[in-house]
Amino acid sequence: MSRREMTVAHVREPPGADHVEVMFYESARFYRLPRARPSFEVSLRLLKEAAAVGRPLTITLAPAESDVIEEVGPAPAPAPSPADGPGRPL
């Protein structure tokens, strides 16, 4: 499996298809989220919400060369900048 932080450009639901197509800014490929996945509804909601606000997500593909999305989750929080220094609010 391969995990990547990616930003959703567009989510397309082809009529009658057994999957949803997802495009990311970081890749020219079209990725597929199968409707048969147990977490399909949650993953689709996360993808649509992230697309609306431009928030990156952690996308898991299996195998790495695949176009099939296995898991969708929040991206890790950015590390504080050294410029923030100790005791300064984030």
Side-chain angles (χ1 to χ4, degrees):
M1 282 201 242
S2 170
R3 284 196 174 137
R4 295 178 59 188
E5 190 173 316
M6 300 175 84
T7 309
V8 182
H10 185 68
V11 177
R12 182 167 52 194
E13 299 184 56
D18 63 349
H19 64 276
V20 170
E21 295 176 349
V22 184
M23 288 131 278
F24 297 98
Y25 287 112
E26 294 83 358
S27 176
R29 296 176 75 175
F30 286 74
Y31 293 85
R32 296 180 297 129
L33 177 64
R35 291 183 183 277
R37 301 234 22 102
S39 59
F40 173 79
E41 292 297 331
V42 171
S43 295
L44 181 60
R45 180 180 50 79
L46 287 171
L47 289 163
K48 287 181 173 182
E49 288 174 357
V53 297
R55 182 181 64 240
L57 294 169
T58 299
I59 305 298
T60 304
L61 306 171
E65 304 80 31
S66 174
D67 67 345
V68 176
I69 298 170
E70 291 288 325
E71 293 179 21
V72 176
S81 167
D84 292 334
R88 292 185 60 189
L90 297 176

